[in-house]
Amino acid sequence: MEQKLGFKLVKPTEGFLLPGTFLKKFEYTDDNERQYVCQIAKLAKSRQTRIHLLASDDNTPHGFVALSASLLMDQPCIVIDYLFTSKQHRGVVFQELGMKISEHLLAFAIRTAIEINDTVTIRFVALIPGHEKLAAFYGPWGFRRLDKTDWMFLRI
Amino acid sequence: MHTENIRKKYIVGAHPPKRLSQEAKQTLVSARPSKKALVKVASAVKLPVVDGAEVGL
């Protein structure tokens, strides 16, 4: 079902990343999932990853992507540490975006890597899909499996 | 990690492995930028980026 909503990307404040605040803004499938989001918020607070929120014009967070920098085969890469859509918004194509929340966040992550590469070399975008169903999500975007690892990568 | 339905234990904040198989290295060396990715990225609308402090987030 399509909905008309304006969106923006938000750089959250440190205060917003406090688990007590951050976790309340989203809906989860189960407690496991909630725990993962709690962990990523803590990583963001300790500056090990950077969270980018996707929020509607009324400032309601719909999802986020967490990005950090690392090395893959000794070459600089952007790691998608976490990509999350709040449970109630999953599978919905938003008219303003022309795609789902997860798709837009992934496009943002890849575009970010491409833009950074204009200034500082970034060779790959890398991630670990949570399970095989998610590996199927990333494949059409050009991500490939890395042999004998859980990782997938995209060459920039 | 992409969250929809978590089925296995996942380590948050993991880094890519330092040791790779020869096949993995070859895959990385021979990889080329994906046109599929570029088309999809180009089709995504570029949204304004705002500071959380301005919007209470």
Side-chain angles (χ1 to χ4, degrees):
Chain A
M1 181 171 141
E2 295 189 347
Q3 303 182 32
K4 285 188 183 180
L5 279 175
F7 284 92
K8 54 183 173 274
L9 285 160
V10 180
K11 294 186 276 188
T13 61
E14 284 214 20
F16 186 75
L17 293 173
L18 289 168
T21 304
F22 194 73
L23 292 173
K24 283 180 194 168
K25 295 296 183 181
F26 304 105
E27 289 185 18
Y28 308 95
T29 301
D30 54 31
D31 192 58
N32 253 350
E33 190 173 88
R34 191 175 181 280
Q35 289 302 321
Y36 284 134
V37 171
C38 183
Q39 287 177 51
I40 206 72
K42 287 180 182 174
L43 280 181
K45 203 139 173 15
S46 65
R47 314 255 171 141
Q48 294 178 65
T49 192
R50 181 81 75 190
I51 284 178
H52 304 267
L53 294 171
L54 183 55
S56 51
D57 280 349
D58 63 356
N59 301 325
T60 301
H62 281 47
F64 67 86
V65 64
L67 303 176
S68 63
S70 190
L71 293 172
L72 180 55
M73 204 174 62
D74 292 329
Q75 300 195 21
C77 70
I78 296 295
V79 175
I80 298 178
D81 292 308
Y82 215 78
L83 196 156
F84 176 83
T85 304
S86 197
K87 187 184 172 191
Q88 73 272 36
H89 302 304
R90 290 174 195 170
V92 177
V93 174
F94 287 86
Q95 190 170 0
E96 284 280 350
L97 299 176
M99 53 181 63
K100 300 173 193 174
I101 297 291
S102 56
E103 292 169 332
H104 188 87
L105 287 169
L106 181 56
F108 168 77
I110 298 170
R111 181 185 285 140
T112 298
I114 293 170
E115 289 175 353
I116 293 173
N117 187 46
D118 277 343
T119 309
V120 175
T121 297
I122 296 291
R123 195 78 165 180
F124 306 105
V125 178
L127 58 93
I128 300 179
H131 52 79
E132 280 312 303
K133 218 174 167 184
L134 292 173
F137 168 77
Y138 291 109
W141 288 76
F143 282 83
R144 294 169 62 184
R145 274 279 186 206
L146 197 53
D147 179 57
K148 293 190 176 74
T149 74
D150 292 327
W151 289 82
M152 297 183 81
F153 77 96
L154 173 71
R155 166 77 201 274
I156 294 298
Chain B
M1 155 107 190
H2 179 168
T3 296
E4 295 234 340
N5 292 304
I6 298 172
R7 304 252 163 85
K8 67 175 189 181
K9 189 74 180 162
Y10 174 79
I11 299 170
V12 173
H15 286 272
K18 289 188 176 163
R19 288 189 182 176
L20 297 169
S21 66
Q22 280 305 315
E23 198 167 317
K25 288 179 187 173
Q26 189 53 42
T27 301
L28 288 167
V29 165
S30 61
R32 293 292 172 261
S34 167
K35 283 183 185 170
K36 272 192 280 194
L38 291 175
V39 167
K40 282 180 177 278
V41 169
S43 71
V45 63
K46 202 161 182 185
L47 295 175
V49 179
V50 302
D51 199 296
E54 296 174 22
V55 295
L57 294 177

